[in-house]
Amino acid sequence: MVDISISNTTIITMDKDRRIIRNGAIAIDGDRILDVGSTDEILTNYGTGEEVINGSGTIAIPGLINAHTHIFQNLLRGLGDDMELMGWLKEMLYPVNSVLTEEDVYISALLGCVEMIKTGTTFVINNHHFCTSEKAIDNLAMAIEETGIKGLVARGIKIKTARAEKRKVPNHVFPYTPEEEIKLTEKLIRKWNGKAEGRFQICPAPTSINLCSPEMFRELKKLSDKYNVPVHTHIAESPSEVQFSLKDYGKREVEFLYELGVLGPRFHVVHGVWLNDKEIELLAKTKTHVIHCPVSNAFLASGVAPVPKMLKAGVSVALGTDGPASNNNQDMFGVIKTAALLHKVAGRSPTAIRSDQVMEMATIGGAKALGLEKEIGSIEPGKKADIVLVDVKKPHIAPVHRPVSAIVYCAMGSDADTVIIDGKIVMKKRKILTINEEEAIVNADKVGKSLVKRAKLSA
């Protein structure tokens, strides 16, 4: 007898053949998928599980991978509306940076993880770049462990340079020296990677070229190589960033990083909105990953990333929500639909990007960016049991003719019915089973209002 059996569902496997199995079943043993096939076949071979889930009226998809967000921004939801990127940073985020506490980080992380689980995310890359002390990272690890989600915390690193001073970035943004940043990041990697039953990791995240130095990028590449973790950084999100790079180094950002020798399969270019054809070629050549955040890019009017060109060139692309202060939620279903629509209208072609390509970016594309494509990102034997059952018995979804189309164009985060992570049911019939959801909301509301007062923001 297996631990969990899911039957009578439609399975979007995202395996190499991109199989869709109607009236399908999944056998789960421990934290792994034992087998996938028709309901008759799986029940005949394995019987029913100790936990039996009748998936009638659902579509089973691989757990979604949110490849870029800032969970602490849950406390700032709705405060960054109608602002361009640089003004958004200076008028809201920099004031918050000076007052954000380690307890704030924990409270926001609990709420953020619950939000993501309830909208079908099973793995998150949380780019945490404010209040990056050891205690703050410990608190993030605690929240991930308690809620049951999987997480890579990309610890934000910012270095005070002449360029930063020239751009009037406040001193409190730089709490550590370069040497302290490297030492603390390595300490946290050694302390936490593989913890929370293997669900938690740390990696370095230089915030941007503008807030880091060439030497620091090289040192963080060494950490990446030593511990087999990514380097995660914002690149070419706005035209001003490209202009800063041209002014400071005489090169566009990806060209600069290529000459530094830091691009590669463990490097994440987050956003990549303002890339030219040469830069896309360099990303493909080095097998560097791009994290596409279409909702945030639209929210801040940053532009439309040339994702169809990237895909055509062979660049691996994943999807992220970005933070709740520039989205304003962490619902990957909204990101999936936006990605599918944005590039059609930008390219003035309904075939500019296909629904199956977007589905890949939200699942196996995220897994590839993490270097975990052999472990997660698809529903197939031997992989981790990270599975979301989407209720499609809804008036905005039925009837389902094409399952991938139904997920990409019809489904919403609130349609995620049951979520399984590492073979454990963390949400069943929309009820979170790991922590008290109501308490997380009440605490975040209280702390969020306090944070606004401390930062002297107008709400």
Side-chain angles (χ1 to χ4, degrees), residues 25 30 44 104-105 114 120 161 167 174 205 247 253 256 267 289 338 377 382 391 412 424 435 441 452:
T44 298
D104 296 339
V105 170
V114 167
T161 63
R167 274 127 208 172
F174 310 102
K247 186 174 182 179
E253 289 177 274
F256 169 73
F267 198 95
H289 300 274
T338 300
D391 183 358
M412 299 182 287
K424 295 181 179 179
I435 71 166
I441 294 170
V452 168

Side-chain angles (χ1 to χ4, degrees), residues 140-412:
L140 286 169
M142 286 170 54
I144 285 169
E145 186 166 22
E146 290 170 24
T147 56
I149 202 168
K150 292 178 175 176
L152 169 66
V153 171
R155 181 182 177 273
I157 294 167
K158 300 177 288 296
I159 302 301
K160 187 174 182 179
T161 63
R163 297 184 306 284
E165 289 184 351
K166 188 189 307 180
R167 274 127 208 172
K168 299 180 180 178
V169 179
N171 288 333
H172 63 72
V173 172
F174 310 102
Y176 302 107
T177 66
E179 294 75 20
E180 289 170 338
E181 290 281 18
I182 294 169
K183 185 177 179 180
L184 182 51
T185 301
E186 182 166 20
K187 178 182 180 181
L188 287 163
I189 290 172
R190 292 170 65 91
K191 178 179 181 180
W192 279 110
N193 276 23
K195 297 296 175 62
E197 298 178 308
R199 290 185 285 105
F200 189 75
Q201 303 174 56
I202 302 281
C203 80
T207 300
S208 65
I209 287 176
N210 193 41
L211 295 179
C212 212
S213 66
E215 296 76 22
M216 179 59 76
F217 271 100
R218 290 193 184 99
E219 289 301 316
L220 297 180
K221 172 66 162 58
K222 292 177 184 177
L223 276 186
S224 170
D225 292 342
K226 182 176 180 179
Y227 294 102
N228 192 30
V229 295
V231 175
H232 187 90
T233 188
H234 302 81
I235 297 295
E237 184 176 359
S238 68
S240 59
E241 291 177 87
V242 178
Q243 292 306 311
F244 289 154
S245 182
L246 287 168
K247 186 174 182 179
D248 294 336
Y249 300 110
K251 301 177 184 67
R252 297 174 66 90
E253 289 177 274
V254 169
E255 294 176 303
F256 169 73
L257 294 169
Y258 178 75
E259 292 192 11
L260 282 180
V262 299
L263 296 179
R266 286 192 297 273
F267 198 95
H268 296 172
V269 166
V270 181
H271 296 298
V273 177
W274 295 92
L275 301 179
N276 64 17
D277 291 349
K278 180 181 178 181
E279 290 178 294
I280 292 172
E281 289 176 11
L282 291 175
L283 294 176
K285 176 181 177 180
T286 56
K287 299 182 179 179
T288 298
H289 300 274
V290 170
I291 314 298
H292 179 37
C293 303
V295 174
S296 174
N297 296 157
F299 188 93
L300 294 168
S302 296
V304 181
V307 169
K309 280 188 176 183
M310 295 181 199
L311 296 175
K312 188 174 181 180
V315 176
S316 176
V317 181
L319 287 180
T321 59
D322 211 351
S326 64
N327 183 302
N328 282 344
N329 61 40
Q330 295 173 113
D331 181 355
M332 280 291 289
F333 282 88
V335 172
I336 288 169
K337 183 170 184 176
T338 300
L341 299 181
L342 185 63
H343 299 290
K344 295 178 189 297
V345 71
R348 297 186 179 182
S349 169
T351 61
I353 197 165
R354 305 186 311 273
S355 58
D356 60 298
Q357 290 176 301
V358 179
M359 194 71 198
E360 288 175 4
M361 288 189 281
T363 54
I364 198 69
K368 288 177 179 177
L370 290 159
L372 295 174
E373 64 270 28
K374 293 182 180 179
E375 291 284 303
I376 61 174
S378 61
I379 300 175
E380 51 187 317
K383 285 201 170 182
K384 292 281 192 176
D386 294 354
I387 298 164
V388 177
L389 295 181
V390 181
D391 183 358
V392 294
K393 295 178 296 184
K394 300 285 186 74
H396 59 277
I397 303 178
V400 175
H401 299 297
R402 297 176 178 174
V404 172
S405 177
I407 294 297
V408 172
Y409 295 115
C410 303
M412 299 182 287

Side-chain angles (χ1 to χ4, degrees), residues 86-163:
M86 291 303 164
W88 177 82
L89 286 169
K90 292 177 180 177
E91 295 176 34
M92 186 181 66
L93 282 201
Y94 289 163
V96 167
N97 178 74
S98 65
V99 297
L100 189 71
T101 70
E102 292 150 342
E103 180 63 16
D104 296 339
V105 170
Y106 174 68
I107 295 297
S108 66
L110 284 177
L111 180 67
C113 291
V114 167
E115 176 192 5
M116 284 184 281
I117 290 170
K118 294 205 75 169
T119 51
T121 289
T122 58
F123 200 122
V124 57
I125 300 179
N126 175 35
N127 185 195
H128 186 71
H129 56 90
F130 288 165
C131 189
T132 57
S133 67
E134 181 175 356
K135 177 61 176 174
I137 305 302
D138 289 350
N139 282 351
L140 286 169
M142 286 170 54
I144 285 169
E145 186 166 22
E146 290 170 24
T147 56
I149 202 168
K150 292 178 175 176
L152 169 66
V153 171
R155 181 182 177 273
I157 294 167
K158 300 177 288 296
I159 302 301
K160 187 174 182 179
T161 63
R163 297 184 306 284

Side-chain angles (χ1 to χ4, degrees), residues 22-52:
R22 296 178 187 269
N23 192 23
I26 306 166
I28 298 171
D29 196 34
D31 64 352
R32 300 276 172 176
I33 297 168
L34 184 62
D35 207 351
V36 181
S38 70
T39 291
D40 287 345
E41 176 188 5
I42 295 301
L43 293 184
T44 298
N45 291 341
Y46 304 101
T48 56
E50 290 187 24
E51 177 83 31
V52 178

